[in-house]
């Protein structure tokens, strides 16, 4: 069965705690159902003060209960907990997190969690002060130590006028992280204290005020890397050019740019601090030699629309490798590139990738085969992670979050083993 179909017919539990973001759980249930899973919603009694049981029952197709004293003959918490192949609690309030950390079993959700042995994803949502409170942070650390994955909350508008970390991530982000976890993605927190700089999206090179040269990169792979790196404990900055309309990766600082040169400036400014740099962006190799101040007119000889003159853009990745050689970057920084290749009669895509790895001089290169509807803008990816030390890891087909988890596990391993450079 292909990786992307693995969630089909899985028995999943969506736990919902009593926070204002409980309404977003409805969209999450839908996303998981649409991916083919059998979803059971287990709300806390307070969650039902925000969203009615009928809504969860209609969306999931299962009766909803909040207590172990309903359908006692079925011993619900034991049955649901044993059957569950994955549990996601969204939103998880400070109270539910505290009860999970304490091992309480005073409602159906916490009792079910005590029974379950499957992967558990906790998605906190609360006011910034409650999130940052040492009591909550200690409880989160306890859950993480026990192997429960706790998502970083999103940063943004909270209930009322406040903004800050504590928002529930968008249902599509939660579903993506949950699926990657269920697929066996590595969420080990082995990037704590590391600074990760990631470029994403496709650069745009202006011709005039309305036209540009661009590409089809969606930014999904770069954003997925940012999200997973944040969950692995890293301090993440994303420098993003044009992307599809995607939610900002949770737990990451976001810098928006447009052109290759803007991206180079933004990356160069931050590269000196980074422990890991991943160039996932599709950077335009060339840009128009001049940018017209007003819209170019078709058929006008001097407009130049029919004979564009192009000049080469800087190679950001190669520039980073050179700066490292010149001692301008942190000792031991890992530099990772991407290569979207097509094979031809003489050379396979992976051989092209290996040649590119040598040419660019980075430590790892994620090589994938493009063409025939593969990769760009698609929900899945696969390929080979090529190492400067001659290593070659197969990156299994899966969602871009799953690919990100595999890549970051390999990067962490490379760093733990002391480099990987020849
Ligand atoms: N890259 C970069 N700066 C550029 C072009 C590419 O940093 N001006 C980075 C990309 O982000 C990617 C890697 O280099 O990580 C390879 O990109 P690719 O476009 O495949 O490389 P090119 O050198 O342009 O090779 P090709 O001739 O195959 O397009």
């Amino acid at each position: 069965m292909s990786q992307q179909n693995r969630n089909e017919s899985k028995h999943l539990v969506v736990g919902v705690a009593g926070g204002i973001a409980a309404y977003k759980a409805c969209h999450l249930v839908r996303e998981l159902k649409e991916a083919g899973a059998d979803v059971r919603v287990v709300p806390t009694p307070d969650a039902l003060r925000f969203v009615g049981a009928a809504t969860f029952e209609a969306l999931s197709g299962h009766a909803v209960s909040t207590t172990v004293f309903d359908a006692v003959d079925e011993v619900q918490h034991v049955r649901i907990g044993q059957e569950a192949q994955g549990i996601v609690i969204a939103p998880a309030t400070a109270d539910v997190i505290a009860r999970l950390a304490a091992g309480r079993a005073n409602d159906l959700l916490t009792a079910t969690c005590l029974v379950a042995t499957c992967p558990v994803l906790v998605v906190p949502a609360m006011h910034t002060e409650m999130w940052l409170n040492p009591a909550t942070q200690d409880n989160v650390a306890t859950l993480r130590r026990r192997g429960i994955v706790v998502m970083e909350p999103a940063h943004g508008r909270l209930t009322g006028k406040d903004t800050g970390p504590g928002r529930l991530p968008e249902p599509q982000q939660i579903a993506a992280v949950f699926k990657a976890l269920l697929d066996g993605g590595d969420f080990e927190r082995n990037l704590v204290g590391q600074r990760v700089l990631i470029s994403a999206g496709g650069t745009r090179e202006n011709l005039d005020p309305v036209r540009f040269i661009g590409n089809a990169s969606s930014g999904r792979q770069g954003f997925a890397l940012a999200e997973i790196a944040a969950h692995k404990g890293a301090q993440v900055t994303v420098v993003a050019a044009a992307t599809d309309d995607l939610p900002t990766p949770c737990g990451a600082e976001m810098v928006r740019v447009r052109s290759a040169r803007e991206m180079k400036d933004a990356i160069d400014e931050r590269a000196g601090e980074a422990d890991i740099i991943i160039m996932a962006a599709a950077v335009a190799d060339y840009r128009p030699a001049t940018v017209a101040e007003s819209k170019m007119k078709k058929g006008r000889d001097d407009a130049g629309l029919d004979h564009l003159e192009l000049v080469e853009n800087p190679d950001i990745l190669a520039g980073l490798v050179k700066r490292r050689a010149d001692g301008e970057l942190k000792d031991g920084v890992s530099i990772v590139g991407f290569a979207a290749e097509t094979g031809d009669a003489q050379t396979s895509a992976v051989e092209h990738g290996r040649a590119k790895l040598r040419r660019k001089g980075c430590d790892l290169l994620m090589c994938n085969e493009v063409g025939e509807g593969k990769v760009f803008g698609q929900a899945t990816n696969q390929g080979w992670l090529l190492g400067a030390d001659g290593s070659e890891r197969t990156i299994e087909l899966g969602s871009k979050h799953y690919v990100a988890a595999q890549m970051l596990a390999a990067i962490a391993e490379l760093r733990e083993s002391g480099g990987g450079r020849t």
Side-chain angles (χ1 to χ4, degrees):
M1 196 192 295
S2 78
Q3 191 72 42
Q4 88 205 91
N5 292 330
R6 277 195 203 164
N7 294 319
E8 273 179 23
S9 72
K10 273 210 163 134
H11 295 291
L12 305 180
V13 172
V14 175
V16 186
I20 181 70
Y23 74 94
K24 287 193 186 173
C26 301
H27 297 278
L28 176 61
V29 172
R30 238 199 155 125
E31 288 248 354
L32 298 174
K33 288 277 288 182
E34 273 169 16
D38 173 44
V39 182
R40 188 174 276 277
V41 181
V42 182
T44 63
D46 281 347
L48 296 187
R49 295 161 74 124
F50 291 96
V51 179
T55 305
F56 291 135
E57 287 179 347
L59 286 171
S60 68
H62 287 289
V64 158
S65 159
T66 60
T67 161
V68 295
F69 296 106
D70 282 340
V72 176
D73 54 329
E74 291 179 25
V75 201
Q76 285 207 83
H77 60 295
V78 176
R79 187 168 56 79
I80 299 172
Q82 284 177 347
E83 261 180 26
Q85 292 169 290
I87 298 179
V88 52
I89 305 177
T93 54
D95 180 64
V96 146
I97 290 172
R99 289 193 288 124
L100 290 171
R104 305 274 320 259
N106 54 337
D107 59 13
L108 183 60
L109 177 59
T110 47
T112 301
C113 287
L114 275 187
V115 171
T117 53
C118 60
V120 178
L121 176 67
V122 167
V123 194
M126 64 198 75
H127 259 76
T128 304
E129 293 89 335
M130 294 172 82
W131 170 247
L132 295 177
N133 189 294
T136 305
Q137 289 298 310
D138 279 356
N139 289 330
V140 166
T142 300
L143 296 185
R144 285 177 169 159
R145 208 176 51 246
R146 293 179 191 152
I148 288 177
V149 177
V150 182
M151 257 180 105
E152 289 299 319
H155 197 286
R157 183 86 191 266
L158 303 163
T159 333
K161 290 182 191 149
D162 304 4
T163 60
R167 243 176 94 90
L168 190 77
E170 293 306 315
Q172 70 193 88
Q173 290 173 296
I174 301 170
V177 169
F178 190 41
K179 285 180 201 164
L181 178 66
L182 297 180
D183 286 343
D186 179 352
F187 282 77
E188 201 189 323
R189 287 180 66 79
N190 49 9
L191 293 180
V192 174
Q194 311 224 3
R195 282 179 182 259
V196 181
L197 179 60
I198 299 171
S199 71
T203 59
R204 290 183 170 177
E205 307 295 334
N206 286 352
L207 277 159
D208 67 18
V210 295
R211 298 186 183 88
F212 58 82
I213 300 174
N215 61 67
S217 172
S218 65
R220 278 175 210 283
Q221 189 61 74
F223 277 27
L225 280 160
E227 226 146 53
I228 305 284
H231 297 317
K232 287 170 82 66
Q235 214 177 314
V236 183
T237 302
V238 183
V239 175
T243 63
D244 284 3
D245 188 15
L246 306 171
T248 303
C250 300
E253 182 203 1
M254 181 65 107
V255 181
R256 286 280 178 187
V257 296
R258 184 172 171 88
S259 66
R261 284 183 299 170
E262 278 177 31
M263 177 169 278
K264 179 178 165 50
D265 289 347
I267 294 276
D268 279 349
E269 198 182 313
R270 294 161 178 83
E273 312 245 280
D275 299 291
I276 299 168
I277 306 174
I278 308 176
M279 283 296 301
V283 185
D285 291 323
Y286 292 90
R287 66 178 184 277
T290 54
V291 182
E293 274 174 24
S294 50
K295 189 180 167 197
M296 297 161 92
K297 296 289 182 198
K298 176 172 66 176
R300 274 214 351 232
D301 281 345
D302 58 346
L305 268 178
D306 55 350
H307 53 272
L308 287 178
E309 197 188 323
L310 301 175
V311 292
E312 199 169 341
N313 268 330
D315 187 321
I316 305 170
L317 182 60
L320 289 166
V321 171
K322 181 170 182 314
R323 283 187 65 193
R324 173 169 69 183
D326 294 343
E328 291 177 28
L329 304 188
K330 253 191 181 176
D331 259 0
V333 59
S334 304
I335 304 180
V336 183
F338 269 77
E341 301 292 343
T342 53
D344 51 49
Q346 291 81 37
T347 317
S348 68
V350 71
E351 282 164 349
H352 279 301
R354 194 152 280 294
K356 186 166 287 180
L357 173 67
R358 279 194 296 273
R359 216 166 50 239
K360 300 269 185 179
C362 51
D363 304 314
L364 288 169
L365 189 86
M366 172 66 199
C367 173
N368 41 37
E369 201 165 3
V370 289
E372 299 163 40
K374 291 177 185 159
V375 181
F376 265 11
Q378 300 289 309
T380 56
N381 198 356
Q382 74 184 118
W384 308 268
L385 190 62
L386 308 175
D389 57 359
S391 60
E392 180 179 322
R393 293 175 177 82
T394 302
I395 299 293
E396 281 181 37
L397 174 68
S399 69
K400 293 193 171 176
H401 280 76
Y402 181 57
V403 165
Q406 293 178 71
M407 284 183 65
L408 287 160
I411 294 167
E413 192 187 303
L414 179 86
R415 292 180 63 74
E416 275 158 20
S417 72
R421 265 182 276 159
T422 43

